[in-house]
Amino acid sequence: MERLAAPASGLVSGRQHALDGLRTVAGAGVFLFHTVTGFAPGGSIGVDVFFTLSGFVITLLIMKEYRATGRLRLRVFYAKRLARLWPALLALCAVVVTGGLIFPSSGWGGQAADAIPAAGYVMNLSNFGAFGSSTGGGALSPTWTLAVEEQFYLIWPVLLLLMLRFWRVRTVAWVTAVLAAGFLVSRFFLVSGGASLARLYNGPDTRADELLLGCAVALVLSSIRPGSRFHGSLQAGVRRGGPFAGLALLAAVFTLKEPTTPGAWFDVFWTVGPTTLALLAGLAIGWLVLQPDGLISKVLSHRWLSRPDGTCPMACTSGTCRSSSC
């Protein structure tokens, strides 16, 4: 069992304020997508960034405890994940149900049944009809993102600990990347088989590669020995590729419209699009972490974007907003 000392760069322990800022910018994109869609037709890619960030952050949390103790207290881990958001989620469900009962003609009317899959972290499955008729578009529908993450969190810690028993951290990072590629192939077969947009958009498997690529980035950075040749090579790589990834994601917010109707572009995008966006997000994350003194890292670490008191810097527009120190 490998137990390396935590990197001096603070990747395993310590707050990454620039990542909080990146999350805020991604959340702003989602907000713009829902409010001024014509201005930011690709703002929904903030969700892809959220998933990649979530995989990154949760893996760092696991690695922090694993390096310190050689194990992970799974019961404590799951209890913390549940306590982190579930009370607020239940309160949201209660507000929507109550509002719908009091004002049945409002946008919340007739949505009481949606509270069950939302509170049970299975709204993503409900959205594509896993329990019968498909849902979607309601006030609680955005909780599908939380469902995807919580379903991933059930499996990933156990799988990661199992891999760490047999392989070095850097090897586990490569295996994780291969797993992500496997889900890309799986999505290819779903698209080729005519899967619906709801299935492709909400599936825990169709989003797994985004989360796993974030996990892989976290594992790579966790394996770095500061000052090593590998460290220097990664820093040189992100100096070149990081700005490109950031600009590409920003440009996509204002130019990329996710296809919704069947056709060649639909097939191409929903096969490789999520993976491509996750790779760009992963590269941007690596850039911010490995270049903490860079201008963009400092801008994103500003208190207006990254609250130093640990509170969320903005309202959760997609159901996934959380501090990177959670």
Side-chain angles (χ1 to χ4, degrees):
M1 179 181 295
E2 183 187 23
R3 292 181 59 184
L4 301 176
S9 57
L11 295 175
V12 173
S13 61
R15 182 82 174 270
Q16 302 296 324
H17 292 286
L19 298 187
D20 285 335
L22 178 61
R23 193 188 301 274
T24 301
V25 172
V30 176
F31 177 78
L32 291 174
F33 172 75
H34 285 294
T35 54
V36 284
T37 306
F39 176 69
S44 60
I45 70 167
V47 173
D48 304 274
V49 176
F50 278 134
F51 283 143
T52 309
L53 266 172
S54 295
F56 179 87
V57 170
I58 206 66
T59 301
L60 284 190
L61 288 173
I62 294 171
M63 291 303 297
K64 177 182 177 181
E65 182 172 344
Y66 178 77
R67 287 181 181 275
T69 67
R71 64 189 180 93
L72 176 68
R73 296 171 297 169
L74 287 171
R75 290 183 180 178
V76 175
F77 173 85
Y78 290 130
K80 286 183 176 180
R81 293 306 97 205
L82 194 63
R84 181 74 183 174
L85 287 178
W86 202 44
L89 178 60
L90 292 178
L92 173 64
C93 292
V95 169
V96 171
V97 171
T98 302
L101 292 175
I102 297 175
F103 305 103
S105 60
S106 69
W108 290 356
Q111 297 186 37
D114 289 349
I116 297 175
Y121 286 121
V122 290
M123 179 57 82
N124 63 321
L125 306 181
S126 180
N127 277 351
F128 67 78
F131 307 118
S133 59
S134 300
T135 58
L140 293 173
S141 182
T143 62
W144 74 270
T145 56
L146 292 179
V148 169
E149 290 187 346
E150 294 302 321
Q151 290 158 19
F152 181 79
Y153 294 164
L154 282 176
I155 300 171
W156 174 242
V158 177
L159 179 59
L160 177 57
L161 291 176
L162 180 63
M163 291 191 293
L164 288 171
R165 288 180 61 90
F166 299 101
W167 297 316
R168 295 172 60 86
V169 175
R170 201 171 298 177
T171 302
V172 174
W174 280 107
V175 173
T176 302
V178 171
L179 288 174
F183 282 105
L184 166 62
V185 173
S186 172
R187 195 168 54 242
F188 166 77
F189 285 111
L190 282 173
V191 172
S192 300
S196 67
L197 177 60
R199 173 68 177 88
L200 297 170
Y201 201 85
N202 293 271
D205 52 341
T206 58
R207 296 291 184 170
D209 56 329
E210 296 182 318
L211 286 148
L212 285 170
L213 286 172
C215 297
V217 173
L219 289 166
V220 169
L221 297 185
S222 295
S223 71
I224 291 176
R225 294 184 184 277
S228 66
R229 182 178 299 178
F230 182 53
H231 186 193
S233 297
L234 283 180
Q235 285 184 314
V238 298
R239 272 197 298 268
R240 291 190 294 267
F244 165 77
L247 287 173
L249 288 172
L250 184 62
V253 169
F254 298 103
T255 61
L256 177 66
K257 179 175 174 56
E258 293 179 341
T260 58
T261 56
W265 173 229
F266 180 97
D267 293 347
V268 171
F269 180 85
W270 289 111
T271 297
V272 301
T275 304
T276 301
L277 292 169
L279 287 171
L280 291 172
L283 184 53
I285 290 168
W287 177 39
L288 295 174
V289 173
L290 290 171
Q291 300 289 317
D293 296 325
L295 175 62
I296 301 302
S297 291
K298 289 181 178 179
V299 170
L300 291 175
S301 297
H302 193 278
R303 61 188 179 88
W304 289 357
L305 298 175
S306 173
R307 295 286 290 275
D309 59 0
T311 57
C312 185
M314 67 175 293
C316 300
T317 55
S318 71
T320 58
C321 184
R322 294 197 306 278
S323 165
S324 67
S325 63
C326 64

